[in-house]
Amino acid sequence: MGFGGSSCHATEPCVPNAVIGPCATRMVSGPGCGSGRRWVPIPGPGGAGHWRGAAGSAACCAHPPRDPAGTRGRFVPELAAPAAGTAAPLSPRRWRRARRPQPPSAPPPRPRAPPYRRASPVPALSLLPQLSTPQASPERVPSPEEQQWAGPEALCPGWLEDEAPDGEVPGDSGDPDGATHAYERLQSALCQEGLPPTLDCSAEPRTGFGPLDMTVCILGSPIPFLPVLLEGGTRCPGAMVLCLSPSWASRVPSESCPGAWSLLLSRGVSFKVGGHSALESFVPPRRANYVTGTFAPGDPEGGWVGELARDLDCPTGGSVPLAHRLEDALLARWALAARANLPVPPTLAFVLGTRGDLPALPAAPGVRLVRLQDPQGQQSLVQEEVGAFLGGTAMEPYGQVVVRPAGWRWRGTGARSTHRKEEGAAVAQAVGARLRGLTEEDSVLLEAMVPTARLPVPPPRSPAPRLPMALRICTLVCRSWGDRPQLCQVACAVGRAESPVRHGAALPQGLDSGLQQCGVAAPGQRQALATRLREATEAAAAALLASEAELSPRQRGGDRARTDILGVDFLLACVDEALELVALAANGQRCLETCALAEAMGRGVGEPRGDVPRLLAEAMLHRAQRHLVEGKDILLIGAGGVSKSFVWEAARDYGLRIHLVESDPEHFAAGLVQTFLPYDSREHRRDEEHAERVLELLRSRGLRPHACLSYWDDCVVLAALVCQGLGLRGPAPAAVRVAKQKSRTHRHLQRCRRGRPPPAAFAVPCRRLRSHGDVERAAGAVPFPAVAKLEFGAGGVGVRLVENAGQCHAHAARLWRDLRDDADHPGIGLGWGNAMLLMEYVPGTEHDVDLVVFDGRLLGAWVSDNGPTRVPAFLETAACLPSCLPADRQAQLVRAALQCCRACGLRDGVFNVELKLGPAGPRLLEINPRMGGFYLRDWIREVYGPDLLLAAVLVALGVPPVLPARPAARTHLAGVMCLASEHGDTLAGGGGMEALRELHGRGLVRLNRLFEEPEGAGEYEEPLLSVACAGATLAEACERLLGLCQGLGIDSPRYPVEHFLSHFK
């Protein structure tokens, strides 16, 4: 970057923020500086800002000159070499200490900002009094000779920031906690990303933060988490807050968890859409809902970060004790071998004493543990163990060993020695030398040096010989939805085979490129290795997380402390003439930094943004939202039956206080909720009256719920009316009424003609039937074949295909005779009456679309497929998730469902929409203005992760749920419905039910009960249960399910499961 001439600098007035901090400048000459003059700071009288030209002229001004190089008040070293006889150049460290400006006695006046600028970029150095409590002590200003030192910073801005290894900050009494340095690194990183600098909005404190405002706090260094902060700022503007100093936060005793602490933020850098950030102050202090930070051993911020994050009442993504365990190579290797059953390098470990953090069982394959009481007095035992290890069968494939200390204190020290296996005496001597300083927290490892698999590679373009290479595979895993590990990214590093490849020693590259360099030429083999790597990584993470879950709160650093992000390193080796992934170690932050670097490098060559920031931000925001709902009072209208039993378990897991209004005073859920309010509301044609009674009941009990909703189809209108009476968020009662009455839904949509296509395009001709006269009139308007069903029905009960008006008359007569009120068949909408409708039959495949909508905005959608029905009935037979439709056809269904909901006025909630998809596109069957029932909630959690129940609670609380922006299926599910009439004897008398329960308990099938006992009979029968199998592909899931049904007798000529599954292709 060039510099302008000196004349313009001397004559132009300064501009806002031209100079950061109250420092003086001197203009000196040097090559590449235009006129040969350049402004640099020099001391003024009394330390005040003072400006001079290079020749020492008295050209002083009240304001500093423009700063075209963007140095923001830093001392910029000269490009020219020092003149003969001048002082020797300062070293980078001494220069860094010398370049800090003196505290001014009278800062130069600042020009008034234009009226349209509400905030200005935060000055890095002038923030020092805000970043840390102690003030900077005066330091000697560099002499003119010292200022002429030509250092690398002149060629590479930011070189000094990267000079200190492992984040080391030069000692400075003016920046004891490294906050100023961290802030400067943040600004540098934002600049490199092409983002605007941080704005200072702290003069006007932000107020009004309440118990439903989300705060995800990142403590410590901004660099590892910057992509996550930016992504989180886009997803939830203002929710991600970076805390750079312990003086910005405080700990107060928790009001909800005795013995725990709440973290309150009085200042922080918040992130918003478009990469914008702002330094803000919060009055009153802002309460954190989720906390994480740089807990890795050796980080300069680790001390105060660990102290602030200790024993919090909110979820904490790590802690110092957990980071110590993760960085301990022996503990990690033990879990990887014993719990995940992964191959590890053959290891002989020596520990001191009992070492209680290492369980005696289960045994870890490949790891032998030797417990020493006195290392100096047990030399013979050490030599014997070393000899046995070197001569054992596990060491036969290897020719070299490594001796090194292990434990979090040894992270990054490189203390190790390499020996040939034949050098038994030298190996024993090296082990003995390491044992002399052994502590109870450390161990000494003797491990095989596993070489990277050497495969034949294509002939090189150059005849030069190829050197043997080593490949280290770095994987990053996060704790995803449902506390399940999810692989986020893979990066590889390649180095020389004779020395270990370390993090940061080489630029990362992709897995596919790394495998090709190792000679894995076949694309199918590389894909198979990538799949195996995903499985191994997630198994390793699950093992590590399971081992830490067994720790006490004190050992974890708090009851809510969990490791949410971790890395696992692998080596591609050749074991028994087959390629094998050997697990090496785990870490808390190094893989995160490596993967972030790999992603940044990819963006530099036009690659799209990766998934790491999105996945990590979603995981953090999700845990914060789970904490947000804890302790909230939820009014639930209608308990439902056995199929809704998951509600009570989920409420306990989420910490919800459920207040249940239920018509059955003997309902089994009465003892599972905070408050049970029996009230008979089964006659739903009087729901306005029922709503007033429920409101009186709440006032008499002194209950003031935070949200009100219903999962039970019969009670959705009543819940909307109660919401309206309480002033809570929820769909309008009029909108729920339109959706609840099927014929009214279609008539309303037929009048909605705006849009391309309009909602009317998805409606189906239909007529309401309350008498046989209505049947005759409907027969003239609705073409046959048609579908006759209950107007307010549910569960597919009474739905039938009719070929002509006569069949419609007969079906209506039977239904009006058999199903008159709720007592005849509870739970299918007879509390609204037994009116029917006749609608046109729509050919095509049937699908369910479950939507999460907040303020009319689609937040999440999931499409599932239904199998063919047993015509003329339309009872569900089979289903699969995810849909086997192509993405564009699924998008048609989602868009049609969303437009229909919006047109009906359903703008807030979780809704289930049933559609058919034909050649001409989707057509609506019905809208259920509540969460999808039966198996749908369970399946969506299993396949995609999010919980529809939690999403419904968050929407009812007025909080937009954080859901996967790009949902990816973790597995495929295929299920079949079982009927009491077809399978009752097989399941009950043949032991099929016991077998299904056992398989469900082992995680081999998914069993969802709709009823404890069969409900209805004949044409009014409902499914008894759903049984599903999972697979890596839909074909695999269907094959497993068909085999299970054939083995248990569910498949039969009368109930052909193979036919029901044939549509899922």
Side-chain angles (χ1 to χ4, degrees):
M1 181 181 297
F3 297 91
S6 60
S7 58
C8 67
H9 292 304
T11 58
E12 288 186 359
C14 72
V15 295
N17 306 301
V19 169
I20 304 302
C23 61
T25 296
R26 173 171 176 256
M27 189 166 63
V28 298
S29 62
C33 295
S35 65
R37 298 166 63 88
R38 186 171 173 191
W39 290 101
V40 296
I42 64 171
H50 192 66
W51 304 86
R52 290 187 180 272
S57 63
C60 301
C61 60
H63 304 298
R66 188 186 303 272
D67 185 18
T71 56
R72 299 188 177 275
R74 299 175 180 171
F75 286 91
V76 182
E78 262 283 333
L79 290 177
T86 60
L90 294 177
S91 67
R93 184 176 297 275
R94 289 180 59 200
W95 177 263
R96 200 172 188 181
R97 297 173 65 86
R99 71 189 183 116
R100 186 172 301 280
Q102 293 185 5
S105 58
R110 296 172 59 91
R112 188 171 184 178
Y116 59 86
R117 293 191 65 183
R118 300 184 59 185
S120 60
V122 180
L125 296 179
S126 64
L127 269 177
L128 186 56
Q130 303 172 358
L131 294 173
S132 57
T133 304
Q135 301 299 307
S137 59
E139 293 186 3
R140 182 181 65 85
V141 177
S143 66
E145 291 79 8
E146 291 172 331
Q147 293 174 0
Q148 293 177 354
W149 174 77
E153 189 183 21
L155 299 175
C156 180
W159 174 82
L160 290 180
E161 282 75 7
D162 297 332
E163 174 233 351
D166 295 330
E168 178 186 353
V169 178
D172 192 326
S173 60
D175 190 17
D177 51 32
T180 302
H181 178 71
Y183 182 83
E184 291 175 346
R185 294 177 67 196
L186 172 63
Q187 301 312 303
S188 175
L190 291 173
C191 179
Q192 292 174 17
E193 292 289 331
L195 300 174
T198 302
L199 299 180
D200 186 2
C201 303
S202 58
E204 298 180 4
R206 289 189 62 185
T207 60
F209 287 99
L212 292 177
D213 291 301
M214 185 166 54
T215 302
V216 173
C217 176
I218 307 294
L219 300 172
S221 173
I223 302 305
F225 293 99
L226 181 58
V228 183
L229 290 164
L230 295 171
E231 175 68 21
T234 301
R235 297 292 299 275
C236 297
M240 308 292 290
V241 181
L242 175 63
C243 178
L244 297 175
S245 169
S247 63
W248 292 9
S250 60
R251 288 159 50 93
V252 298
S254 173
E255 299 176 357
S256 58
C257 301
W261 301 80
S262 297
L263 186 66
L264 304 181
L265 298 174
S266 58
R267 184 182 294 269
V269 179
S270 61
F271 291 79
K272 302 176 177 61
V273 178
H276 294 275
S277 57
L279 177 67
E280 297 179 313
S281 56
F282 311 114
V283 178
R286 189 171 173 177
R287 185 180 301 271
N289 304 114
Y290 177 86
V291 176
T292 191
T294 49
F295 300 109
D299 284 331
E301 303 90 354
W304 64 266
V305 168
E307 183 59 28
L308 283 180
R310 177 178 52 84
D311 296 325
L312 296 182
D313 60 357
C314 67
T316 308
S319 66
V320 170
L322 290 179
H324 287 176
R325 286 183 59 87
L326 203 60
E327 297 287 348
D328 190 320
L330 177 57
L331 290 175
R333 189 164 295 179
W334 186 278
L336 296 174
R339 291 179 175 269
N341 197 28
L342 294 174
V344 299
T347 304
L348 177 64
F350 296 92
V351 298
L352 187 62
T354 57
R355 188 72 189 267
D357 54 356
L358 282 169
L361 294 174
V367 181
R368 171 157 176 77
L369 188 64
V370 179
R371 302 178 186 269
L372 302 176
Q373 301 300 325
D374 180 14
Q376 301 304 318
Q378 295 180 285
Q379 297 178 1
S380 59
L381 174 61
V382 171
Q383 293 176 356
E384 180 181 342
E385 291 287 348
V386 169
F389 175 78
L390 296 177
T393 56
M395 281 296 301
E396 288 180 359
Y398 310 109
Q400 289 183 303
V401 294
V402 174
V403 178
R404 64 185 180 104
W408 66 268
R409 305 174 190 274
W410 299 95
R411 172 183 178 264
T413 61
R416 58 192 299 140
S417 59
T418 305
H419 310 268
R420 293 198 305 272
K421 183 173 61 174
E422 296 79 10
E423 302 172 346
V427 173
Q429 184 178 2
V431 171
R434 291 295 179 188
L435 288 174
R436 294 190 188 100
L438 186 65
T439 66
E440 291 187 358
E441 292 184 347
D442 301 330
S443 60
V444 175
L445 303 185
L446 171 60
E447 58 188 6
M449 189 171 180
V450 181
T452 298
R454 302 181 65 177
L455 303 175
V457 297
R461 298 177 182 177
S462 170
R466 284 177 173 266
L467 297 176
M469 307 301 291
L471 175 70
R472 189 185 188 102
I473 303 175
C474 163
T475 63
L476 183 67
V477 198
C478 73
R479 185 193 295 267
S480 185
W481 311 91
D483 286 344
R484 293 177 57 173
Q486 180 174 2
L487 177 64
C488 299
Q489 189 170 343
V490 179
C492 297
V494 178
R496 296 285 295 272
E498 64 269 15
S499 61
V501 184
R502 300 179 180 276
H503 282 277
L507 291 175
Q509 61 188 52
L511 176 64
D512 200 66
S513 298
L515 292 178
Q516 289 189 63
Q517 283 186 266
C518 288
V520 186
Q525 193 175 15
R526 295 199 301 272
Q527 182 59 45
L529 282 172
T531 302
R532 171 61 184 143
L533 179 63
R534 174 180 292 275
E535 296 171 351
T537 301
E538 294 181 351
L544 293 167
L545 298 180
S547 63
E548 78 172 31
E550 299 172 354
L551 303 175
S552 66
R554 183 187 63 81
Q555 292 173 315
R556 290 197 306 269
D559 186 55
R560 309 298 298 272
R562 303 287 190 275
T563 297
D564 285 344
I565 304 171
L566 60 91
V568 184
D569 291 331
F570 290 89
L571 183 72
L572 182 65
C574 190
V575 179
D576 296 331
E577 299 183 355
L579 291 178
E580 186 64 82
L581 292 167
V582 177
L584 296 179
N587 61 81
Q589 189 171 309
R590 284 173 288 174
C591 283
L592 174 62
E593 296 170 349
T594 300
C595 290
L597 175 59
E599 181 168 325
M601 291 166 53
R603 293 199 305 271
V605 293
E607 290 291 325
R609 289 186 175 272
D611 292 332
V612 173
R614 175 181 61 84
L615 294 173
L616 299 187
E618 288 175 352
M620 295 178 184
L621 293 168
H622 170 63
R623 285 200 69 190
Q625 288 196 332
R626 286 197 56 167
H627 179 252
L628 206 64
V629 304
E630 290 181 12
K632 297 298 184 290
D633 293 286
I634 308 298
L635 181 64
L636 194 61
I637 310 296
V642 174
S643 65
K644 304 299 182 185
S645 297
F646 64 83
V647 172
W648 324 118
E649 180 181 352
R652 183 181 66 251
D653 292 341
Y654 293 136
L656 301 174
R657 296 159 52 92
I658 300 294
H659 308 282
L660 176 63
V661 177
E662 167 56 33
S663 298
D664 180 7
E666 303 296 328
H667 197 280
F668 70 89
L672 303 176
V673 295
Q674 187 75 20
T675 309
F676 184 70
L677 304 171
Y679 176 77
D680 190 356
S681 62
R682 288 175 293 180
E683 180 52 62
H684 289 287
R685 285 169 289 196
R686 299 165 49 200
D687 269 353
E688 285 83 359
E689 178 185 339
H690 295 325
E692 292 297 329
R693 299 288 183 271
V694 170
L695 292 173
E696 292 176 4
L697 196 60
L698 294 176
R699 286 192 288 267
S700 67
R701 297 288 191 98
L703 297 176
R704 303 182 64 180
H706 298 98
C708 172
L709 68 159
S710 177
Y711 303 115
W712 190 238
D713 201 73
D714 281 0
C715 299
V716 290
V717 174
L718 176 58
L721 290 167
V722 173
C723 266
Q724 187 180 61
L726 293 172
L728 299 174
R729 193 181 192 106
V736 178
R737 286 186 182 278
V738 170
K740 178 61 182 169
Q741 188 175 346
K742 296 177 177 58
S743 65
R744 188 175 176 183
T745 303
H746 288 274
R747 292 199 309 270
H748 174 79
L749 291 176
Q750 287 168 356
R751 295 192 295 269
C752 297
R753 298 286 179 178
R754 293 184 178 180
R756 292 186 178 182
F762 312 120
V764 177
C766 62
R767 290 292 186 273
R768 191 178 188 189
L769 308 179
R770 286 174 292 185
S771 66
H772 287 281
D774 291 338
V775 173
E776 290 297 328
R777 287 185 287 274
V782 178
F784 288 98
V787 178
K789 58 183 177 180
L790 287 170
E791 176 81 294
F792 298 92
V797 176
V799 184
R800 192 170 186 85
L801 181 71
V802 292
E803 301 286 349
N804 49 51
Q807 289 186 8
C808 187
H809 277 291
H811 179 60
R814 288 194 304 272
L815 194 146
W816 286 333
R817 180 193 66 218
D818 299 336
L819 303 177
R820 290 168 295 181
D821 54 38
D822 194 68
D824 293 328
H825 199 309
I828 63 168
L830 294 176
W832 296 91
N834 64 350
M836 298 178 61
L837 80 154
L838 184 69
M839 67 184 300
E840 178 184 343
Y841 172 74
V842 180
T845 55
E846 187 172 343
H847 306 270
D848 281 77
V849 180
D850 289 273
L851 303 174
V852 178
V853 183
F854 186 87
D855 198 21
R857 179 165 56 99
L858 179 66
L859 299 183
W862 298 270
V863 179
S864 56
D865 301 344
N866 293 336
T869 59
R870 303 166 74 192
V871 178
F874 286 90
L875 201 63
E876 187 174 353
T877 59
C880 74
L881 184 75
S883 171
C884 54
L885 292 172
D888 57 341
R889 299 288 273 169
Q890 293 187 51
Q892 287 183 316
L893 290 168
V894 171
R895 177 55 59 176
L898 180 62
Q899 285 190 237
C900 290
C901 288
R902 286 173 174 169
C904 292
L906 299 174
R907 299 181 56 83
D908 288 292
V910 179
F911 311 119
N912 172 258
V913 184
E914 299 177 22
L915 305 103
K916 272 203 165 182
L917 183 64
R923 304 292 293 277
L924 176 70
L925 297 181
E926 60 187 57
I927 298 176
N928 299 306
R930 41 82 182 159
M931 181 184 72
F934 202 0
Y935 56 83
L936 283 171
R937 181 255 182 182
D938 177 56
W939 280 26
I940 291 173
R941 283 188 70 205
E942 176 66 16
V943 174
Y944 292 104
D947 188 353
L948 293 183
L949 184 147
L950 178 62
V953 170
L954 287 166
V955 172
L957 289 169
V959 178
V962 174
L963 299 171
R966 294 193 291 272
R970 299 187 291 201
T971 186
H972 290 258
L973 285 176
V976 65
M977 314 306 144
C978 295
L979 306 178
S981 60
E982 296 288 345
H983 312 111
D985 295 340
T986 300
L987 295 177
M993 199 66 224
E994 289 75 8
L996 287 176
R997 288 196 184 100
E998 181 185 355
L999 293 172
H1000 176 76
R1002 294 165 55 190
L1004 300 178
V1005 303
R1006 303 203 71 79
L1007 185 64
N1008 296 95
R1009 300 291 301 270
L1010 187 59
F1011 299 105
E1012 285 289 350
E1013 300 295 336
E1015 293 286 337
E1019 60 182 309
Y1020 308 130
E1021 184 179 20
E1022 292 186 73
L1024 180 63
L1025 57 87
S1026 164
V1027 57
C1029 290
T1033 64
L1034 182 58
E1036 180 181 331
C1038 290
E1039 183 179 357
R1040 289 178 178 176
L1041 179 62
L1042 180 60
L1044 176 71
C1045 292
Q1046 290 173 345
L1048 294 179
I1050 297 174
D1051 178 47
S1052 68
R1054 286 173 48 86
Y1055 203 79
V1057 173
E1058 185 174 6
H1059 169 67
F1060 300 150
L1061 300 178
S1062 63
H1063 283 47
F1064 303 150
K1065 295 180 180 178

